[in-house]
């Protein structure tokens, strides 16, 4: 056991000595073609310049430009320009592999170009769909095949505030009233979508049917699947809920203003 340890220690010492010897400045200068005993800055600069000029080939130029594009990808913060720069870098490296006769390098980077192109196309489609959802009025017709029909009569309560929320509704016919804010929901309106985003999935209001009508329902589990499968719907859903919250805030602000203005009007009417 001690003999094996001694042999291992000897081998490691020899390896370290060899590595140190190869890293000596004098040996590096000799490998560069310089005299260690007569070295000047001009001689060192001229020798490095000669090495650079000797290696300037068309293949190496393509490799240099490809390396610049790959470094650029490390500095980019968004995916679209990163994919474009990566495609450019792969194209230059593939050309380098072809000109230098390196088949492995050529095939590797050649295959990476269409992969990045497909990902870039998917990203651009996602951006375009998100922009359309933000600027336009997205139809909910495509959602109806995933929903279940349900009918309500006047006086029926769909849900009340604080109940556990498990599904979202789309009004088709009839009229429905949100009691807390006294707002009627006409056909074509979503309701119950805020419960999908609230903690513990609780209802934020009470909805009753004030005129016989029909609705379509979809469970939150199914809605969650569609949310991740269709980025356009997911983005639209976020915009829809944000608008609904902003409407509620605006309605609350108006109510506060009217409440504050009420006593002033009453006081003014008492003046003879």
């Amino acid at each position: 056991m001690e003999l094996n340890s001694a042999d291992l220690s000897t081998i490691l010492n020899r390896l370290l000595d060899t590595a140190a010897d190869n890293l000596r400045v004098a040996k590096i200068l000799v490998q560069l073609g310089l005299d260690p005993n007569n070295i000047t800055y001009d001689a060192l600069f001229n020798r490095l310049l000669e090495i650079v000029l000797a290696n300037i080939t068309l293949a190496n130029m393509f490799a240099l430009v490809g390396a610049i594009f790959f470094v650029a990808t490390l500095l980019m913060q968004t995916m679209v320009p990163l994919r474009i720069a990566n495609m450019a870098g792969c194209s230059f490296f593939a050309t380098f592999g072809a000109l230098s006769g390196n088949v492995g390098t050529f095939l590797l980077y050649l295959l990476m170009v269409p992969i990045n192109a497909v990902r870039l196309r998917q990203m651009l489609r996602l951006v375009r769909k998100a922009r359309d959802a933000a600027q336009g009025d997205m139809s909910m017709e495509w959602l109806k095949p995933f929903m279940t029909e349900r009918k309500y009569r006047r006086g029926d309560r769909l849900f009340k505030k604080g109940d556990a929320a498990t599904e979202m509704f789309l009004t088709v016919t009839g009229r429905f009233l949100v009691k807390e804010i006294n707002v009627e929901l006409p056909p074509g309106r979503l309701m119950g979508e805020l419960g999908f985003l609230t903690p513990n999935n609780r209802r934020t209001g009470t909805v009753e049917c004030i005129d016989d009508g029909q609705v379509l329902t979809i469970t939150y589990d199914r809605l969650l699947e569609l949310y991740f499968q269709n980025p356009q719907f997911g983005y639209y859903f976020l915009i829809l809920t944000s608008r609904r919250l902003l409407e509620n805030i605006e309605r609350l602000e108006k109510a506060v203003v009217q409440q504050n203005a009420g006593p002033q009007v009453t006081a003014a009417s008492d003046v003879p």
Side-chain angles (χ1 to χ4, degrees):
M1 186 69 178
E2 294 179 357
L3 181 61
N4 292 335
S5 300
D7 292 341
L8 180 60
S9 177
T10 302
I11 293 173
L12 290 176
N13 289 333
R14 291 181 62 183
L15 290 174
L16 291 174
D17 292 339
T18 303
D21 183 63
N22 290 332
L23 292 176
R24 289 176 181 174
V25 176
K27 191 166 185 177
I28 295 175
L29 293 175
V30 171
Q31 292 176 350
L32 290 175
L34 298 172
D35 183 6
N37 298 321
N38 187 22
I39 183 69
T40 62
Y41 288 109
D42 290 339
L44 179 62
F45 176 77
N46 291 331
R47 181 54 184 162
L48 294 176
L49 182 61
E50 290 176 4
I51 295 174
V52 171
L53 294 176
N55 286 277
I56 293 180
T57 63
L58 183 60
N60 288 338
M61 292 301 296
F62 275 97
L64 176 61
V65 177
I68 293 174
F69 275 105
F70 268 96
V71 172
T73 61
L74 302 177
L75 305 176
M76 295 178 179
Q77 299 180 352
T78 54
M79 288 301 298
V80 172
L82 187 149
R83 290 290 183 184
I84 295 175
N86 196 273
M87 288 175 57
C90 290
S91 300
F92 279 101
F93 272 120
T95 306
F96 160 74
L99 294 176
S100 62
N102 192 326
V103 179
T105 300
F106 171 72
L107 293 178
L108 173 63
Y109 289 102
L110 183 64
L111 290 175
M112 291 177 65
V113 173
I115 293 175
N116 280 281
V118 171
R119 293 302 185 187
L120 176 63
R121 183 171 179 270
Q122 292 174 344
M123 184 62 62
L124 292 176
R125 289 180 60 187
L126 176 61
V127 173
R128 184 174 63 253
K129 287 183 177 181
R131 185 180 298 113
D132 293 340
Q135 297 178 354
D137 183 15
M138 178 178 169
S139 173
M140 301 300 292
E141 291 295 325
W142 68 273
L143 188 61
K144 291 182 179 180
F146 304 98
M147 306 183 81
T148 303
E149 180 181 342
R150 189 178 300 168
K151 295 182 179 180
Y152 288 96
R153 293 186 176 276
R154 181 177 181 179
D156 290 343
R157 184 172 62 189
L158 281 69
F159 51 82
K160 67 177 181 178
K161 185 176 181 179
D163 284 349
T166 59
E167 57 187 356
M168 183 180 72
F169 300 81
L170 175 64
T171 60
V172 179
T173 60
R175 293 185 302 153
F176 301 87
L177 177 68
V178 183
K179 297 190 64 176
E180 283 77 10
I181 56 179
N182 196 32
V183 172
E184 292 187 11
L185 301 179
R189 288 288 299 273
L190 286 176
M191 55 183 176
E193 76 283 0
L194 293 181
F196 180 65
L197 302 175
T198 57
N200 300 323
N201 297 122
R202 294 291 175 178
R203 295 298 184 190
T204 59
T206 302
V207 175
E208 290 185 355
C209 178
I210 57 177
D211 195 0
D212 294 355
Q214 174 186 349
V215 301
L216 295 176
T217 67
I218 182 172
T219 63
Y220 285 167
D221 291 338
R222 186 63 173 139
L223 186 65
L224 189 63
E225 294 179 9
L226 295 175
Y227 182 91
F228 287 107
Q229 292 175 4
N230 191 328
Q232 184 181 13
F233 170 69
Y235 195 85
Y236 172 81
F237 191 84
L238 291 177
I239 293 176
L240 178 68
T241 53
S242 299
R243 289 177 180 174
R244 187 66 55 84
L245 291 174
L246 291 175
E247 290 176 359
N248 292 341
I249 293 174
E250 183 180 1
R251 189 178 295 107
L252 179 61
E253 291 176 346
K254 290 181 179 179
V256 172
V257 171
Q258 293 177 355
Q259 184 177 2
N260 293 336
Q264 298 178 2
V265 172
T266 303
S269 61
D270 293 339
V271 178

